[in-house]
Amino acid sequence: MTVEQEWTRPEGRALLVPGTIGPRRGVPVKIERPEYVDKDEAVSDSGPRVQTPEIIERVREASRIAALALQAAGEAAQPGVTTDRIDEIVHQVLIENGAYPSTLGYLGFEKSCCTSLNEIICHGIPDSTVMEAGDILNVDVTAFIHGVHGDCNATFAVGEIHPRAQDLITVAHETMMRGIKVAKPGREVNVIGRVIEKFVARHGYESVQDYTGHGVAEGFHNGLIIPHYDSAPMFDDVIEEGMTFTIEPMVTIGSQAWEQWDDGWTVVTKDRSFTAQFEHTMVINADGPELLTVV
């Protein structure tokens, strides 16, 4: 391998450790809460997989608001900024648009988005951690409004980053888009993962298998699983017109092997190599997918 290929993280950048988690942010009482807030289970996470036109329009609105908040988070991802500040920005955009942050109070999660920095694969909890130049930050935002959710995420460069980290981000985005392109009615969902895994491997990276895309509408996760690897013959659900779901591959520079922090949420690469992810919520139309998490 060349030095470029062996690079996994900036020289001198300390491994991440949990920071101090600030207080939970309040939501105006007039904003509708999901049924699961501060409960031990999410009953709505077993809803229908094919949606009515009326529900799809509601998911479209929730998705647009989530995309607005994600855009604001990306603009704020700069050296010297804490991940908790990113949470504050996301929270404000959501409530200003009449939406509830879907993660807030979901099965014990106490923040309004996920901030996954550098080696954090997913579910990072916003805290006092200060971002440094050379970092990469994934922000995962879900908005709840009119009884439905819209879910999206993206990975942002923090200041000037290593070319290898930029390549990881570029490949992760293209990986998601290639998975989206093949999500057409009549195909099994495992074809999405097959395309994703092959494309990632071609670039010398790995696609995390243990975390998946999912159906989303009235349920934050409605039981439909979208794999990001070649899982056939498993996950053979047939894609149907009217389905709304996410595709959100997690791509690692090193090994996809992971471990979890004691907080019960934060998932990091075992080798502490960088990881990047992108996500869209989409609806399946007769001619294929339509992205909903767009501004």
Side-chain angles (χ1 to χ4, degrees):
M1 286 188 178
T2 67
V3 173
E4 247 338 72
Q5 289 173 319
E6 291 176 344
W7 184 93
T8 58
R9 58 183 301 111
E11 184 178 356
R13 180 51 163 122
L15 297 178
L16 296 174
V17 295
T20 300
I21 299 174
R24 177 170 168 167
R25 295 189 160 85
V27 178
V29 294
K30 65 181 181 180
I31 292 179
E32 179 189 6
R33 273 82 167 145
E35 53 80 21
Y36 56 70
V37 171
D38 296 329
K39 296 180 181 177
D40 293 333
E41 64 176 338
V43 176
S44 57
D45 274 2
S46 58
R49 300 181 181 186
V50 176
Q51 312 305 327
T52 66
E54 187 268 336
I55 288 179
I56 290 169
E57 287 309 303
R58 286 192 269 149
V59 174
R60 187 186 304 278
E61 175 64 6
S63 297
R64 183 189 66 81
I65 294 171
L68 281 173
L70 182 62
Q71 182 182 65
E75 292 169 355
Q78 300 293 331
V81 176
T82 67
T83 56
D84 192 57
R85 172 61 178 154
I86 299 298
D87 185 77
E88 180 183 16
I89 290 167
V90 167
H91 183 90
Q92 194 63 33
V93 172
L94 293 179
I95 64 172
E96 284 177 354
N97 284 274
Y100 186 90
S102 299
T103 60
L104 191 63
Y106 180 75
L107 304 181
F109 197 89
E110 291 291 295
K111 286 294 181 176
S112 298
C113 67
C114 296
T115 51
S116 299
L117 191 66
N118 297 347
E119 64 261 32
I120 299 176
I121 295 174
C122 60
H123 304 159
I125 303 175
D127 62 18
S128 61
T129 300
V130 177
M131 292 182 285
E132 301 179 9
D135 288 345
I136 62 174
L137 175 72
N138 178 270
V139 183
D140 196 334
V141 180
T142 311
F144 177 82
I145 190 170
H146 306 315
V148 300
H149 305 264
D151 189 5
C152 57
N153 76 56
T155 301
F156 305 101
V158 180
E160 185 176 348
I161 64 174
H162 192 282
R164 185 70 163 162
Q166 184 58 61
D167 184 68
L168 173 69
I169 291 174
T170 301
V171 170
H173 183 265
E174 179 63 19
T175 297
M176 174 192 65
M177 296 306 297
R178 287 183 179 237
I180 290 168
K181 186 176 180 180
V182 299
K184 295 186 176 181
R187 294 175 172 172
E188 295 181 356
V189 296
N190 56 38
V191 73
I192 298 169
R194 185 176 310 128
V195 167
I196 285 172
E197 187 173 45
K198 285 183 178 179
F199 182 74
V200 168
R202 196 156 73 229
H203 288 269
Y205 300 142
E206 293 194 13
S207 175
V208 177
Q209 296 186 6
D210 293 336
Y211 293 90
T212 69
H214 54 90
V216 60
E218 293 173 295
F220 194 168
H221 312 83
N222 68 13
L224 178 65
I225 295 174
I226 310 298
H228 300 133
Y229 66 101
D230 189 354
S231 62
M234 299 185 298
F235 303 115
D236 58 354
D237 295 278
V238 175
I239 299 170
E240 299 180 52
E241 186 176 352
M243 282 183 168
T244 50
F245 58 79
T246 73
I247 293 176
E248 47 184 302
M250 302 161 204
V251 181
T252 61
I253 280 184
S255 170
Q256 66 169 294
W258 58 270
E259 56 193 22
Q260 192 173 62
W261 285 357
D262 291 341
D263 60 29
W265 285 102
T266 307
V267 178
V268 298
T269 53
K270 276 191 175 182
D271 62 10
R272 299 304 190 264
S273 61
F274 271 26
T275 177
Q277 180 188 17
F278 287 85
E279 172 187 24
H280 272 302
T281 291
M282 68 209 69
V283 60
I284 302 301
N285 297 323
D287 58 351
E290 175 192 353
L291 300 185
L292 301 181
T293 38
V294 292
V295 177

